[in-house]
């Protein structure tokens, strides 16, 4: 299987304080990895480092053989897509405008028919002209899933992708991830507390195993990860 994502000996710190140390894993095409752990452990920080939008204290991250950290060799060719914990939308633009802007950022030019088809697949038919800020949280999540269907990235990095989704929305999210993995050999890495998403994973990585010793001692003394 083709290796998509490699994380080697990554250390995370906040204000010079160790957060997680020695994080290491690989992710291959067609796999879904869930990064799990309590709030405040460092899941979002790690996801941002994997996406190249935050800098780890040490270690190496590669996507499709291109180095993201410590050097920046990544290009658009690997089509890695990062979905933050809060949907990043152009609030005063239309649903269709947001979708087009997202895909254009990766050098793609979708047809109007393709846009409408993607919106229909996520339950947003007829909302092409609706202003994004008027969408519910769940509808905003669905819009980001429509972007994935259009873009068909080779790597998806998603931070709590089911937040704000009802049961039907969660099922949709799982279907989209499965479609990308099986139909397009994408790799998916998520940070999540959602048991439904974790159970659908091919691999689960508890981040507690990368806690530095000093932080483990504080936890045993009652310092909750918050």
């Amino acid at each position: 299987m083709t290796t998509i994502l490699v994380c080697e000996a990554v250390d995370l710190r906040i204000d010079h304080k160790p957060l997680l140390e020695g994080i290491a894993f690989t992710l291959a095409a067609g796999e879904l990895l869930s990064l799990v752990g309590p709030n405040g452990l460092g899941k979002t920080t790690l996801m941002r480092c994997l996406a190249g939008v935050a800098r780890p204290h040490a270690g190496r991250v590669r996507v499709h053989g291109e180095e993201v950290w410590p050097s920046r060799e990544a290009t658009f060719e690997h089509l890695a897509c990062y979905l933050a914990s809060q949907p990043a939308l152009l609030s005063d633009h239309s649903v269709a405008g947001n979708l087009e802007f997202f895909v254009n950022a990766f050098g793609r030019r979708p047809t109007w028919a393709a846009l409408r088809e993607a919106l229909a697949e996520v339950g947003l038919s007829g909302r092409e002209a609706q202003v994004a800020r008027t969408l519910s949280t769940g509808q905003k999540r669905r819009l980001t899933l429509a972007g994935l269907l259009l873009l068909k990235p080779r790597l998806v990095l998603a931070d709590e992708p089911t937040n704000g989704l009802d049961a039907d929305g969660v099922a949709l999210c799982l279907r989209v991830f499965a479609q990308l993995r099986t139909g397009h050999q994408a790799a998916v890495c998520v940070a999540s507390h959602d048991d439904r998403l974790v159970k659908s994973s091919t691999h689960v990585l508890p981040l507690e195993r990368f806690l530095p010793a000093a932080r483990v001692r504080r936890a045993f003394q009652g310092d909750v990860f918050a």
Side-chain angles (χ1 to χ4, degrees):
M1 297 179 67
T2 303
T3 298
I4 303 294
L5 173 65
V6 177
C7 179
E8 295 180 348
V10 166
D11 292 351
L12 304 179
R13 292 189 178 186
I14 293 182
D15 297 329
H16 305 291
K17 295 179 180 179
L19 189 63
L20 296 170
E21 293 181 342
I23 306 167
F25 63 86
T26 61
L27 184 62
E31 294 181 333
L32 194 164
L33 170 67
S34 284
L35 305 175
V36 298
N39 289 335
L41 191 67
K43 296 187 300 296
T44 293
T45 302
L46 176 58
M47 292 294 287
R48 287 171 53 82
C49 291
L50 298 176
V53 296
R55 181 182 294 276
H57 176 72
R60 188 181 305 272
V61 176
R62 295 199 304 274
V63 175
H64 276 283
E66 298 176 335
E67 197 165 272
V68 177
W69 299 113
S71 64
R72 297 298 299 271
E73 300 173 354
T75 70
F76 284 140
E77 293 177 356
H78 55 64
L79 287 179
C81 182
Y82 172 54
L83 301 182
S85 57
Q86 297 296 323
L89 301 176
L90 302 172
S91 297
D92 292 322
H93 287 63
S94 69
V95 165
N98 268 275
L99 198 51
E100 184 177 24
F101 179 84
F102 173 77
V103 180
N104 286 352
F106 290 88
R108 300 290 184 85
R109 297 294 183 268
T111 64
W112 179 248
L115 285 173
R116 295 184 68 179
E117 181 179 351
L119 290 173
E121 286 194 55
V122 300
L124 295 178
S125 290
R127 297 183 182 272
E128 292 85 355
Q130 184 172 344
V131 177
R133 59 179 164 77
T134 66
L135 297 174
S136 68
T137 299
Q139 289 169 335
K140 291 175 181 177
R141 288 282 182 193
R142 288 171 178 263
L143 182 52
T144 63
L145 294 175
L148 294 182
L149 290 172
L150 271 177
L151 184 60
K152 299 178 178 60
R154 296 299 309 282
L155 172 64
V156 178
L157 300 166
D159 190 0
E160 299 291 356
T162 58
N163 274 1
L165 290 175
D166 58 15
D168 288 342
V170 173
L172 170 65
C173 182
L174 296 179
R175 287 198 303 273
V176 170
F177 286 168
Q179 182 176 331
L180 293 173
R181 290 167 50 216
T182 59
H184 303 283
Q185 285 299 290
V188 180
C189 179
V190 300
S192 181
H193 293 99
D194 193 321
D195 287 340
R196 294 161 295 184
L197 183 55
V198 174
K199 288 177 181 177
S200 73
S201 305
T202 57
H203 306 287
V204 178
L205 181 61
L207 293 183
E208 290 97 329
R209 69 177 59 175
F210 302 110
L211 283 169
R215 203 170 180 213
V216 171
R217 286 196 298 271
R218 291 200 302 273
F220 276 112
Q221 293 167 0
D223 183 8
V224 178
F225 303 115

